[in-house]
Amino acid sequence: MANTNTGSIFTKANPVIDRTDVLLDVRNLSVSFKSEAGIVQAVRNLSYQVHRGESLAIVGESGSGKSVSSLAVMGLLAENAMVEGEILFKGENLLKPVSYTHLTLPTTPYV
């Protein structure tokens, strides 16, 4: 089956993936850590996109930054981490300061 639409790719699991619908857009992600020995660079200028319906596998050698880059995307790095670049989820920058003024807590406790 030939794909004549340059905006889509075909897969068995999902017949058409919309290449214009970007869910996750990581741009020039760099992660460093402050240590007693100085600054340790863990990830340098990583960029990738994940579109709706796609899966992404991150592979590489031990120590290549797979876990650190994934933790950065999830916002789960240690306090001594310094993150640069952009991490956009559905167009919203996850690296911008978070405002908790609009946080609504549930009134009924979960059991």
Side-chain angles (χ1 to χ4, degrees):
M1 175 188 302
N3 178 8
T4 57
N5 182 350
T6 58
S8 300
I9 62 171
F10 289 88
T11 65
K12 286 187 177 186
N14 189 346
V16 178
I17 294 176
D18 183 357
R19 302 296 293 169
T20 62
D21 192 7
V22 178
L23 288 179
L24 180 63
D25 190 1
V26 177
R27 300 176 185 172
N28 300 313
L29 178 67
S30 294
V31 181
S32 302
F33 293 94
K34 297 176 191 173
S35 73
E36 292 179 10
I39 303 297
V40 177
Q41 185 87 33
V43 177
R44 292 187 188 116
N45 298 320
L46 174 67
S47 296
Y48 62 86
Q49 290 183 332
V50 180
H51 299 86
R52 183 175 305 280
E54 282 185 328
S55 298
L56 173 70
I58 300 175
V59 296
E61 296 180 15
S62 178
S64 64
K66 301 175 302 289
S67 295
V68 171
S69 62
S70 297
L71 289 169
V73 169
M74 295 183 286
L76 299 175
L77 290 171
E79 290 183 14
N80 65 332
M82 299 176 292
V83 181
E84 297 177 11
E86 291 181 292
I87 301 172
L88 306 171
F89 180 72
K90 294 184 178 179
E92 183 176 341
N93 190 354
L94 300 181
L95 292 180
K96 70 179 180 183
V98 178
S99 170
Y100 292 101
T101 57
H102 302 291
L103 182 64
T104 304
L105 298 175
T107 56
T108 308
Y110 295 104
V111 179

